[in-house]
Amino acid sequence: MIPVEQAFQLLDENVTPLPLTNVPLASSVGSVLASEILSDVNSPPHDKSMMDGFAVRSDDVNNGRKNLSIIETIIAGDWPQHPIESGQASRIMTGAPLPNNADAVVMVEQTETEATDTGQRVQLLIDSISPEKNILRQGVNFKTGQTVLPQGHIVRATDIGLMAEVGAASISTREKPTVAVLPTGNELVSHQMKPLRGQIRNSNGPMLVALAQQFGLGVTDLGSSVDDPDQLANLIKAGLTHDILLLSGGVSAGTMDLVPGILKDLGVVEIFHKVAIKPGKPIWFGVNNSEGRKRYVFGLPGNPVSSLVGFHLFVRRAIEKMLGSQIGQIPSEHGVLHTAHETRGNRPTFWPGKRVVDEQTIRKFEPLVWRGSSDLFALAEAEGLIRFQENTTAHPAGEKVEFFPFA
Ligand code: AMP
Ligand code: MG
């Protein structure tokens, strides 16, 4: 049995980022940027009007020249043909490029137009205007060549507009790992069935599939295996064609816990087995190196909450490293306990909890009523796991704790 920090370190040492690849902008949400995004344009691309109105010379207005001759109309997408001379204005639409010599735009609501023998004129209904009014200068948002998103950034839907603006049509990122899920146990039946005597529904399969899908990964559901060496070996072999194989059950010390032995027979090298945590102690992790591609195998303990804790602490960390995320670890939150709590034993406990919002600015975490590793019911309300240190029994309200959020 190794301490949890050592398990993290072993994961970090053994898991390597997947090869680089390119994805089209439209399907890049969730990707980790393998290189920074540079702009190939100024934003805005030209000096432009922020209003529908009239482009003028502010010194004209401020010198009392308020009846101006309209020399052209500039709509968005056009390019101005004439510079503005004293006594002149151009009708301009929002987003349209500003003509030379203009340094302000009077909003259309503050004007009246009239047709005269010598052409269209505009009467300004204002007494003065400051230079730069209603104008956005070229490149004030960002300039050509500027970094708009850093390497390691995880692309959100919000970022897609910015990347479209700067012409990032193809995004450099890492391949996403493929995942296979294989729960084991003679007692398991599909969730579509009513369990008979001695049986239990397979909770872990659908849960692990969904957890991996939350990271945008493609998942193969291998169903489940009975505790039989031949069936286990065959299904594990199928699972080893994926980058990550998530097994559940069969990794503790019982007579039917065949998984570690079969994995070793199939050439998966054990990196660690048993971590000092509660719940989830029997977790097994190993690496298989075949055909130049590393495959990572997690043997998660069968109890559903143990599987869940193993996923959040270890599998997630491996996924992030493979995707090239610079976070490299689960971003935990620091705060204090909202209510007093007791834990037992010589292993750190990861207890289901939720955030508490109150008038204070400090984060508070509330341990939920939870009956142990088979109790998924407590998780319905949980937002993450509160870490309690080992060998301390009473945890008073206000004690500093670390919180590992699920999302
Ligand atoms: P094991 O790790 O195989 O010793 O299983 C520990 C406990 O978890 C036993 O009570 C199993 O019945 C239960 N268990 C194992 N696999 C699953 C599963 N896929 N879904 C729900 N419970 C499970
Ligand atoms: Mg079992």
Side-chain angles (χ1 to χ4, degrees), residues 333-340 354-356 358 360-367 386-388 395-403:
E333 299 171 11
H334 293 268
V336 300
L337 269 189
H338 182 59
T339 43
K354 64 176 183 182
R355 301 180 183 96
V356 175
D358 66 12
Q360 296 182 329
T361 50
I362 190 152
R363 286 173 201 273
K364 289 187 174 180
F365 305 111
E366 170 82 22
I386 304 171
R387 177 177 178 164
F388 292 100
H395 303 274
E399 179 180 293
K400 283 189 183 165
V401 286
E402 195 177 356
F403 184 72

Side-chain angles (χ1 to χ4, degrees), residues 68-388:
L68 306 170
S69 114
I70 302 172
I71 57 168
E72 69 175 319
T73 294
I74 312 158
I75 60 175
D78 278 356
W79 198 250
Q81 300 299 310
H82 305 289
I84 307 287
E85 305 301 345
S86 193
Q88 296 181 336
S90 282
R91 184 182 278 113
I92 192 165
M93 306 304 147
T94 304
L98 196 71
N100 282 342
N101 300 346
D103 69 345
V105 169
V106 182
M107 8 188 338
V108 68
E109 293 85 347
Q110 298 174 332
T111 65
E112 273 168 11
T113 49
E114 54 192 6
T116 68
D117 295 347
T118 52
Q120 288 260 321
R121 298 190 70 81
V122 59
Q123 180 69 34
L124 308 183
L125 308 178
I126 53 172
D127 296 324
S128 65
I129 192 165
S130 23
E132 304 302 309
K133 185 79 181 169
N134 298 328
I135 283 174
L136 200 61
R137 290 291 179 186
Q138 181 186 56
V140 289
N141 300 334
F142 54 82
K143 298 201 162 37
T144 303
Q146 192 170 328
T147 300
V148 294
L149 290 171
Q151 185 194 349
H153 183 83
I154 299 168
V155 176
R156 303 161 303 165
T158 328
D159 302 315
I160 298 293
L162 175 61
M163 294 202 288
E165 182 180 358
V166 304
S170 169
I171 310 298
S172 171
T173 184
R174 303 260 165 199
E175 285 176 21
K176 287 189 175 169
T178 59
V179 180
V181 172
L182 179 61
T184 72
N186 285 345
E187 72 278 35
L188 300 183
V189 293
S190 157
H191 62 277
Q192 287 128 332
M193 317 254 289
K194 183 84 175 174
L196 302 175
R197 266 199 321 195
Q199 296 183 327
I200 187 169
R201 289 198 180 100
N202 170 15
S203 303
N204 292 341
M207 177 177 71
L208 292 168
V209 167
L211 284 165
Q213 283 171 342
Q214 266 190 353
F215 286 82
L217 308 185
V219 186
T220 302
D221 187 346
L222 293 173
S224 68
S225 175
V226 292
D227 299 311
D228 164 75
D230 291 335
Q231 190 178 60
L232 272 172
N234 282 333
L235 285 166
I236 289 175
K237 269 188 222 157
L240 285 174
T241 60
H242 299 263
D243 296 309
I244 299 175
L245 170 58
L246 299 180
L247 293 145
S248 90
V251 289
S252 1
T255 47
M256 286 322 236
D257 292 328
L258 308 171
V259 167
I262 292 172
L263 286 169
K264 276 182 216 169
D265 291 347
L266 292 174
V268 185
V269 178
E270 178 185 308
I271 306 295
F272 60 74
H273 187 191
K274 296 194 176 72
V275 177
I277 50 171
K278 237 174 105 175
K281 179 177 95 173
I283 187 169
W284 192 100
F285 171 64
V287 181
N288 180 241
N289 216 331
S290 62
E291 295 151 20
R293 184 114 170 176
K294 274 176 153 180
R295 317 285 182 182
Y296 304 96
V297 181
F298 290 87
L300 302 166
N303 267 310
V305 183
S306 307
S307 268
L308 185 74
V309 168
F311 185 93
H312 278 288
L313 292 184
F314 303 111
V315 181
R316 197 170 153 174
R317 194 177 177 105
I319 292 171
E320 284 176 354
K321 180 95 191 270
M322 294 169 90
L323 292 173
S325 164
Q326 287 179 337
I327 303 165
Q329 60 177 46
I330 302 154
S332 62
E333 299 171 11
H334 293 268
V336 300
L337 269 189
H338 182 59
T339 43
H341 190 68
E342 282 195 4
T343 57
R344 282 181 217 97
N346 59 357
R347 290 174 271 148
T349 303
F350 291 84
W351 193 282
K354 64 176 183 182
R355 301 180 183 96
V356 175
V357 181
D358 66 12
E359 64 285 355
Q360 296 182 329
T361 50
I362 190 152
R363 286 173 201 273
K364 289 187 174 180
F365 305 111
E366 170 82 22
L368 297 164
V369 175
W370 178 54
R371 292 181 178 80
S373 56
S374 72
D375 177 14
L376 276 177
F377 183 44
L379 274 296
E381 243 195 296
E383 297 173 327
L385 302 165
I386 304 171
R387 177 177 178 164
F388 292 100

